């Protein structure tokens, strides 16, 4: 497990270096440790190394880890596809949702968010590359969904998220991340604040940070390969 500590230290250093080089504060972006397919012991090791934010894609797997690690007071982010009939545990147990892509789900999450909990932070997942199978709302639908979220009292519109197509073409991925940043600026001009940009994964987080990412979602570069 010392490998996890080592990987985290290395990633933190790289993130801080890129941020500083871009004229940003060294702590201006969050590192989200995506722990789907990883054991509770691996999450515990990352937590021991100071990691607090963890991302999960499957509700049942996530709940088992949350229960096992309850004493650690970790922050959990849902980063998987949301099934409309399985929103309740997401609304009740997570602090962040990165993959909101339809109003129906927003309304359900709002209705199911416990009254005593802080507002659920949601990011709108944007499909910039026309890959419907990965989820996400097309760019043209983002403003309407954002306005719908702003009407819901138990949700906080935290930002935007995107998943790029699988490619080795870094220029293309960088351009895509730049488009998410531009979309955030256009929304801001029309009075919609969606400040966070959740973009960048193990293979491209440096690119994403250079394009303004405020949250990199890093799995295998921290934990190693996932269980199938
Ligand atoms: C699995 C996953 C990640 C992490 O991917 P790695 O390549 O392991 O860093 C990031 N974002 C989402 C939405 C994921 O599902």
């Amino acid at each position: 497990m010392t490998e996890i500590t080592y990987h985290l230290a290395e990633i933190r250093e790289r993130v801080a270096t890129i941020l500083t080089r871009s004229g940003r504060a060294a702590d201006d972006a969050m590192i989200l440790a995506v722990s789907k397919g990883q054991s509770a012991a691996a999450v515990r090791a990352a937590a021991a190394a100071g990691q607090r934010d963890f991302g999960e894609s499957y509700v049942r797997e996530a709940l088992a880890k949350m229960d096992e690690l309850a004493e650690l007071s970790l922050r959990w982010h849902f980063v998987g596809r949301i099934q409309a009939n399985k929103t309740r545990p997401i609304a009740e147990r997570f602090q962040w949702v990165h993959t909101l892509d339809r109003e129906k789900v927003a309304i359900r999450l709002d209705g199911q968010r416990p009254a005593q909990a802080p507002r659920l932070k949601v990011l709108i997942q944007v499909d910039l590359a026309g890959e419907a199978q990965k989820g996400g709302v097309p760019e043209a639908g983002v403003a309407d969904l954002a306005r719908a979220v702003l009407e819901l009292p138990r949700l906080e519109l935290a930002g935007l998220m995107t998943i790029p197509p699988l490619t080795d073409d870094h220029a293309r991925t960088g351009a895509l991340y730049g488009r998410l940043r531009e979309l955030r600026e256009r929304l801001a001009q029309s009075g919609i604040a969606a400040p966070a940009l959740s973009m960048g994964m193990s293979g491209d987080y440096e690119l994403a940070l250079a394009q303004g990412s405020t949250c990199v979602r890093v799995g295998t570069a921290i934990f190693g390969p996932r269980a199938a």
Side-chain angles (χ1 to χ4, degrees):
M1 290 306 169
T2 54
E3 288 212 351
I4 290 174
T5 308
Y6 173 79
H7 290 155
L8 265 173
E10 183 173 316
I11 292 164
R12 283 182 191 131
E13 178 157 341
R14 283 201 200 177
V15 168
T17 301
I18 296 162
L19 290 174
T20 312
R21 211 186 282 153
S22 326
R24 297 166 67 190
D27 61 354
D28 198 40
M30 172 198 299
I31 297 170
L32 175 60
V34 178
S35 49
K36 65 165 187 243
Q38 309 289 350
S39 66
V43 173
R44 195 182 287 283
Q51 179 66 30
R52 280 288 160 275
D53 291 274
F54 292 88
E56 290 282 341
S57 302
Y58 306 101
V59 171
R60 199 148 26 118
E61 178 190 340
L63 296 183
K65 277 178 229 177
M66 289 175 186
D67 290 343
E68 188 166 341
L69 303 169
E71 85 283 3
L72 294 179
S73 62
L74 304 173
R75 285 186 294 265
W76 295 95
H77 300 234
F78 191 75
V79 300
R81 297 293 304 263
I82 305 175
Q83 290 175 258
N85 61 347
K86 293 206 180 129
T87 51
R88 182 173 292 279
I90 298 175
E92 291 181 348
R93 302 290 301 276
F94 284 81
Q95 284 79 48
W96 294 70
V97 171
H98 290 235
T99 45
L100 181 70
D101 63 1
R102 50 208 199 280
E103 185 174 354
K104 176 185 175 185
V105 166
I107 291 168
R108 291 180 64 97
L109 290 170
D110 178 68
Q112 292 164 341
R113 183 67 171 169
Q116 70 280 9
R119 289 190 298 162
L120 181 64
K121 293 181 197 295
V122 299
L123 292 89
I124 293 175
Q125 182 183 348
V126 187
D127 175 14
L128 290 172
E131 290 189 301
Q133 76 281 5
K134 284 187 179 160
V137 62
E139 205 167 340
V142 174
D144 281 348
L145 180 55
R147 284 195 195 91
V149 170
L150 290 170
E151 296 291 312
L152 297 169
R154 305 298 300 135
L155 303 187
E156 175 184 333
L157 181 61
L160 306 175
M161 176 270 208
T162 200
I163 304 174
L166 201 59
T167 172
D168 290 335
D169 186 344
H170 277 198
R172 189 169 154 220
T173 303
L176 197 93
Y177 287 151
R179 279 175 58 203
L180 196 69
R181 189 192 60 233
E182 288 160 17
L183 175 58
R184 179 186 66 183
E185 310 319 331
R186 282 203 304 283
L187 290 172
Q189 280 160 17
S190 53
I192 299 170
L197 292 176
S198 169
M199 54 188 202
M201 311 196 292
S202 290
D204 62 19
Y205 68 88
E206 292 168 300
L207 269 177
L209 289 165
Q211 292 293 340
S213 174
T214 68
C215 175
V216 292
R217 309 181 306 269
V218 184
T220 47
I222 294 173
F223 295 109
R226 285 181 273 275

